[in-house]
Amino acid sequence: MPDGEQQERDQQEPQDAHGRRDTLDAPEADEERRRRRAHFLRELHEAKALRDRVQPRRARAARMRQAMRMRTFRW
């Protein structure tokens, strides 16, 4: 395809900030974003739980530091 045709096509198809084609309308895009975010957060929680199981000393130290931060936090 000649460069002129490619540039013309790129100008006709809207893109979002990441260069993806705008094929979904707003509610579907929002629903897809929420689904991907929920999946990411589930995997993150699983990864943190696994890390806590395989490194109990580090996990305990992190819990103690968090407890200390919460004790010294001023409302």
Side-chain angles (χ1 to χ4, degrees):
M1 166 181 325
D3 289 335
E5 289 179 31
Q6 179 67 34
Q7 290 173 351
E8 203 173 293
R9 194 181 71 185
D10 287 344
Q11 291 172 355
Q12 292 172 353
E13 297 177 12
Q15 296 179 349
D16 65 2
H18 300 287
R20 296 180 298 228
R21 302 289 182 222
D22 187 19
T23 57
L24 300 174
D25 57 308
E28 290 178 3
D30 193 41
E31 183 179 317
E32 173 67 16
R33 184 188 63 79
R34 284 189 179 133
R35 187 189 63 76
R36 283 186 286 118
R37 182 175 186 272
H39 180 72
F40 170 76
L41 291 175
R42 274 194 306 271
E43 288 185 349
L44 180 64
H45 180 72
E46 289 174 14
K48 285 182 178 181
L50 175 63
R51 184 184 64 200
D52 289 348
R53 283 195 308 273
V54 299
Q55 297 178 339
R57 185 178 299 155
R58 182 176 290 178
R60 182 174 184 269
R63 281 195 309 271
M64 298 298 276
R65 283 192 301 273
Q66 177 65 14
M68 185 61 70
R69 279 195 300 268
M70 295 308 289
R71 271 187 243 134
T72 58
F73 182 74
R74 298 278 178 153
W75 292 101

